[in-house]
Amino acid sequence: MITVCGKELEGLEGRTIVEMLKELGYKNTYIAVEMNGEILKRENYSSTVLKENDRLEVVNFVGGG
């Protein structure tokens, strides 16, 4: 089981961060991903593979003033 933004999800193990983001409907443009307490570098999204018990937070950046 993988936890994404507080929700436990099944079936994500073995996918990369890029694949997970696409499957969950996130746009890869203005986001940051924290995995197990560490911010991931965007260039590592396609090589980082999810495994059992990973915990992720996905943050969308919003502009405005």
Side-chain angles (χ1 to χ4, degrees), residues 14-28:
R15 288 185 171 78
T16 64
I17 298 295
V18 169
E19 292 168 333
M20 179 214 57
L21 291 171
K22 185 176 180 182
E23 185 172 324
L24 297 179
Y26 287 99
K27 303 285 186 222
N28 198 13

Side-chain angles (χ1 to χ4, degrees), residues 39-56:
I39 301 292
L40 293 177
K41 292 183 180 180
R42 186 174 303 276
E43 60 262 22
N44 294 332
Y45 288 5
S46 61
S47 62
T48 302
V49 177
L50 297 170
K51 58 189 177 311
E52 185 72 25
N53 298 318
D54 279 337
R55 301 183 65 79
L56 296 112

